[in-house]
Amino acid sequence: MSDQPIDILWVLFSAVLVAMMQPGFTALEAGATRTKNSISTAIKNVSDFLIAFMIFIVFGVSIMLGTSHDGLFGWSPVFFYQYTLSDLVLTLFHAMFASTAVTIISGAIAERTKFSSYLLIAVIVSMFIYPIQAHWIWNGDGWLAQMGFIDFAGSTVVHSVGGWAALAAILVIGPRIGRFEDGVINFEQSNLAYSALGVFLIWLGWIGFNGGSVLELNQQTGLVVLNTMIAGSIGGLTGLIINRITTGYYQVFDIINGVLAGLVAITASAHLASPISAIFIGLLGYVAYHLGKVLLIKLKIDDALEAVPVHLFAGIAGTLAVAALVENVSFYDQFKVQAIGILTVGFLSFSVTFLLLKLINHFHTLRVSEAAEILGLNMSEHQSSTSMYDLAKAMNTQAQEQDFSKKIMVEPHSDASLIATYYNHVTQAFNQLSAEKEALIEETFHMANYDQLTGLAKRRLLVNELSRSLERLNRQPQINALLFIDLDGFKMINDEYGHDAGDILLKEAAMRIQSSVRKTDLPARFGGDEFVVLLENIQNESFAAEVADKIIHAVKQPIMLPNEVEGFVNASIGLKIFDNEIKLSVDDILNQADKAMYVAKRRGKGQWVLA
């Protein structure tokens, strides 16, 4: 690196620009994940920066830029770079690159990975992968550098490495619940406006990413920045046009990822390309991304943010494109060198990540529990609430207390305020109903449709309501759920203390189940000690999971039997979520929930299992 003050200042400024990619990735990923996971996704981006930065400046830079041993591994004393300004600035610049490689992984495995697991992945990539392969390529004595492998600013060193590691992590951790059930399910993204803002921040940082890699401020720097802007623009425009032609719409996420794919592709050759060739490389980046996206979906590999198609596939395409731009070397010879570099770096990144994660997963499960995933990582991992969650909780409290006299109050400028306003209108109208009419209707209805012992709905009413619910889904798309509940230990109490005790237990269990659900929900006695609850128009899957947990907690409390004997039972629950996209009959839903309930029993009872 040059010792000229203007060059040092440019590289330092570029390091600051590259650091701006971190808030860009944070906004991109938090906006593209579901609301219940957005906070968790954001804090993972902050945390991986802390880990990657500290590991690199303490160990990574010594491995990457230190004295080479046979071109395979470098080492110089810790903090060897602190004695000259140019070395300090260069180290800071490369530290930003190391952090970027790690943050690529967070989006790919979002929404189902434990926070502690992601921290382990960040350590693995920062310590055992990134600095070693960077030494091979960016240290002048590295064996790939000696072969003539070219990766100007990191299509392979940064982006493909992050992509390979992300792919390995995805294969170990598996897809999100429901992603590939009954076809391909596209989950709602919390705020694509934030994602668009994030891409602009990333793009701004990419000026430093590629422009700073010249390590000097000269005419070539200007050309590199121009090529970077061209390739990103072409990648985004290609996504815009292709989506309009194929779907009839302008798909926001494809445009965003098209920009990123173009930027990733040009990064390997920004110093060699002309503006004309930058156009073709930007187009190549989008095509590689699109093919990668289609392939991953076909193989049912769940990449939450399409990070692997963007960073791995476009990174490979951009690295191979170098062969067409190098002068004085035949295309075949340079292509062979580029391919060798891609394969060796890919083997290191994928195999190390995959094997270590497999080993860790054996002792420390990388994935959150099914219940935690349904509830959302914001709450289950970080106890971080949102306005929507607070609204759902307040509505559930009203349902449990069956008191709709008070209005629900939420932050007036939050996303949930409009829903709360309309909900309050509904409860106000509900409270104006005539008490006498309600009593008369309820009495008549109970006589024909409700169980005499427990007061809950009979099986016939449940089946009729479930059938009507399925019909309503065709007109009013919404999310519904059915809970199939069996009392664990009822037969033993019934046999030991008699039918009177059994009746008392059934009545108390029914009361507890009814008190755990909304007034608008339908709890029913299905037969014997089996109960079913129909939840309609729930806010999300997490709400159904909360109801199941509350029922289990309520039922397992002691029940006072005759002669002051305490009876104890548990509840095993099969939970089936269904909406207008799932074409099932009444019998199908009941059978699937029933089977899930028996799975819960086999797993140890006193728990719920998702059908």
Side-chain angles (χ1 to χ4, degrees):
M1 177 179 166
S2 168
D3 288 327
Q4 294 297 317
I6 187 64
D7 296 329
I8 293 175
L9 182 61
W10 166 244
V11 175
L12 181 60
F13 177 68
S14 295
V16 174
L17 288 177
V18 177
M20 289 185 65
M21 296 174 75
Q22 295 297 327
F25 277 114
T26 301
L28 168 66
E29 296 175 16
T33 51
R34 287 171 285 183
T35 302
K36 64 181 182 179
N37 298 309
S38 58
I39 297 172
S40 175
T41 302
I43 197 62
K44 284 175 181 175
N45 277 269
V46 175
S47 301
D48 69 47
F49 178 81
L50 304 177
I51 291 172
F53 179 79
M54 288 306 302
I55 287 178
F56 185 82
I57 64 171
V58 177
F59 303 107
V61 66
S62 295
I63 297 171
M64 174 183 168
L65 299 179
T67 303
S68 184
H69 298 277
D70 299 321
L72 298 173
F73 188 87
W75 186 255
S76 289
V78 174
F79 299 117
F80 71 93
Y81 52 83
Q82 64 181 312
Y83 301 105
T84 67
L85 178 59
S86 60
D87 285 344
L88 278 167
V89 171
L90 183 63
T91 298
L92 288 172
F93 183 62
H94 278 298
M96 300 302 110
F97 279 54
S99 302
T100 301
V102 176
T103 204
I104 290 168
I105 307 167
S106 67
I109 57 175
E111 302 199 306
R112 72 273 204 193
T113 310
K114 289 180 180 176
F115 185 69
S116 59
S117 301
Y118 181 67
L119 299 184
L120 288 172
I121 294 170
V123 171
I124 289 170
V125 176
S126 301
M127 179 70 78
F128 302 109
I129 298 173
Y130 181 82
I132 294 174
Q133 56 86 34
H135 177 85
W136 297 349
I137 298 169
W138 282 348
N139 188 307
D141 295 324
W143 70 275
L144 281 174
Q146 292 294 313
M147 282 184 64
F149 181 82
I150 296 174
D151 183 12
F152 173 63
S155 289
T156 290
V157 175
V158 177
H159 297 282
S160 288
V161 164
W164 283 116
L167 179 60
I170 291 170
L171 293 178
V172 173
I173 295 170
R176 291 166 288 177
I177 294 174
R179 177 71 169 101
F180 296 114
E181 294 179 7
D182 301 317
V184 179
I185 306 300
N186 293 315
F187 298 125
E188 180 184 6
Q189 295 162 308
S190 62
N191 195 324
L192 285 181
Y194 284 169
S195 297
L197 173 63
V199 166
F200 272 116
L201 289 173
I202 293 169
W203 201 345
L204 179 63
W206 226 295
I207 294 174
F209 203 88
N210 287 356
S213 294
V214 179
L215 301 181
E216 295 179 0
L217 185 60
N218 52 33
Q219 184 272 340
Q220 187 183 41
T221 307
L223 180 61
V224 165
V225 173
L226 176 61
N227 289 338
T228 301
M229 299 301 293
I230 289 173
S233 299
I234 291 297
L237 287 171
T238 305
L240 184 153
I241 294 169
I242 289 179
N243 267 266
R244 177 61 180 176
I245 294 172
T246 57
T247 70
Y249 297 94
Y250 303 103
Q251 301 286 352
V252 176
F253 211 54
D254 255 45
I255 298 172
I256 286 174
N257 280 337
V259 172
L260 295 177
L263 293 169
V264 170
I266 195 62
T267 296
S269 59
H271 65 314
L272 299 173
S274 65
I276 294 295
S277 55
I279 292 175
F280 287 101
I281 291 174
L283 176 62
L284 176 66
Y286 178 84
V287 171
Y289 150 71
H290 186 77
L291 292 176
K293 179 178 69 171
V294 171
L295 179 61
L296 261 60
I297 291 176
K298 185 174 182 180
L299 296 175
K300 295 187 176 181
I301 298 174
D302 182 19
D303 182 344
L305 261 79
E306 300 176 356
V308 173
V310 168
H311 297 279
L312 176 56
F313 283 79
I316 291 174
T319 304
L320 292 176
V322 170
L325 302 175
V326 176
E327 299 178 355
N328 302 322
V329 180
S330 72
F331 174 84
Y332 173 76
D333 290 340
Q334 189 63 46
F335 189 89
K336 181 172 66 174
V337 172
Q338 297 299 107
I340 291 172
I342 290 169
L343 291 174
T344 53
V345 170
F347 178 78
L348 172 72
S349 304
F350 182 86
S351 62
V352 170
T353 305
F354 186 85
L355 292 175
L356 286 179
L357 291 186
K358 271 288 190 182
L359 179 63
I360 293 170
N361 194 46
H362 182 73
F363 299 100
H364 171 80
T365 305
L366 300 174
R367 185 170 183 147
V368 297
S369 67
E370 186 177 275
E373 185 175 344
I374 292 174
L375 178 63
L377 273 60
N378 292 350
M379 286 298 299
S380 62
E381 287 272 281
H382 307 287
Q383 284 294 298
S384 296
S385 184
T386 64
S387 60
M388 293 297 292
Y389 181 84
D390 291 339
L391 173 60
K393 187 175 180 180
M395 292 168 66
N396 187 53
T397 300
Q398 280 195 345
Q400 284 186 320
E401 297 175 353
Q402 299 185 4
D403 179 9
F404 301 96
S405 60
K406 296 180 180 178
K407 290 184 177 181
I408 289 179
M409 304 299 294
V410 297
E411 166 60 42
H413 303 294
S414 67
D415 292 339
S417 61
L418 181 62
I419 300 174
T421 299
Y422 282 107
Y423 176 78
N424 288 330
H425 290 166
V426 171
T427 57
Q428 183 179 4
F430 177 80
N431 290 330
Q432 293 173 353
L433 291 174
S434 167
E436 292 182 2
K437 289 182 179 179
E438 279 189 4
L440 179 60
I441 293 172
E442 184 176 347
E443 181 181 354
T444 304
F445 195 76
H446 268 273
M447 289 177 62
N449 296 287
Y450 282 79
D451 179 61
Q452 183 177 359
L453 175 65
T454 64
L456 298 185
K458 296 178 181 179
R459 181 189 296 200
R460 183 182 65 178
L461 176 59
L462 170 74
V463 171
N464 290 340
E465 284 302 311
L466 181 54
S467 179
R468 293 190 189 101
S469 176
L470 293 176
E471 292 175 2
R472 283 193 291 270
L473 286 178
N474 295 325
R475 303 189 304 270
Q476 298 177 331
Q478 61 188 31
I479 301 175
N480 296 344
L482 186 130
L483 286 71
F484 202 111
I485 307 163
D486 186 81
L487 300 183
D488 305 318
F490 168 76
K491 186 177 184 303
M492 182 180 68
I493 291 177
N494 196 54
D495 292 343
E496 183 173 351
Y497 299 108
H499 293 298
D500 289 341
D503 289 346
I504 291 172
L505 191 147
L506 287 173
K507 289 169 66 177
E508 182 63 23
M511 290 177 57
R512 294 180 182 185
I513 291 172
Q514 191 165 33
S515 67
S516 299
V517 300
R518 303 170 297 184
K519 190 174 182 179
T520 53
D521 296 328
L522 180 63
R525 185 182 180 191
F526 200 69
D529 61 337
E530 291 181 336
F531 300 87
V532 173
V533 177
L534 175 61
L535 309 177
E536 287 193 282
N537 197 19
I538 61 177
Q539 294 85 4
N540 48 46
E541 295 176 354
S542 303
F543 181 82
E546 288 182 351
V547 172
D549 285 334
K550 287 175 182 176
I551 291 174
I552 292 170
H553 177 74
V555 169
K556 74 178 181 180
Q557 303 305 314
I559 297 174
M560 187 60 66
L561 303 177
N563 300 321
E564 297 188 2
V565 175
E566 285 190 337
F568 295 88
V569 292
N570 280 323
S572 294
I573 301 178
L575 173 59
K576 176 62 181 177
I577 307 293
F578 60 99
D579 56 24
N580 57 298
E581 304 255 339
I582 298 178
K583 305 301 181 184
L584 295 174
S585 68
V586 170
D587 288 341
D588 291 335
I589 293 173
L590 287 169
N591 288 337
Q592 290 185 22
D594 187 27
K595 290 178 181 178
M597 180 268 291
Y598 279 105
V599 172
K601 283 183 171 293
R602 289 195 296 271
R603 289 183 180 178
K605 303 180 180 179
Q607 57 184 286
W608 63 269
V609 169
L610 185 67

